[in-house]
Amino acid sequence: ALIAAKAGATYISPFIGRLDDAGQNGIHLIKDIKNIFMHYPNLKTKILAASIRSQNHVEEVAKIGVDAIT
């Protein structure tokens, strides 16, 4: 995500539902990306949380402060 942001990507789009399906925690990835981006205030890349599978996903990524949800 950081490399994409530094290259000028408008959005990065982690597919959290698919990560959950593969046994990983998609919400934690979103948190990690958000925390990394906070250390680079000049980055303009937005986080689009994708592959939302539940109301919990919506609530959690909203709490984290993603820019868009799909």
Side-chain angles (χ1 to χ4, degrees):
L2 183 57
I3 292 170
K6 285 189 168 193
T10 303
Y11 285 93
I12 55 106
S13 181
F15 280 57
I16 63 174
R18 290 190 179 189
L19 287 167
D20 288 353
D21 291 346
Q24 298 186 28
N25 190 314
I27 297 295
H28 284 146
L29 176 63
I30 297 285
K31 285 180 185 176
D32 289 345
I33 292 169
K34 186 72 172 179
N35 286 332
I36 290 167
F37 280 13
M38 287 178 17
H39 293 287
Y40 297 89
N42 293 330
L43 293 178
K44 299 193 187 303
T45 301
K46 296 180 180 181
I47 301 171
L48 185 153
S51 188
I52 298 296
R53 302 275 175 88
S54 67
Q55 179 66 31
N56 182 59
H57 276 168
V58 173
E59 292 170 1
E60 291 301 315
V61 298
K63 288 178 193 175
I64 294 166
V66 299
D67 300 291
I69 301 170
T70 184

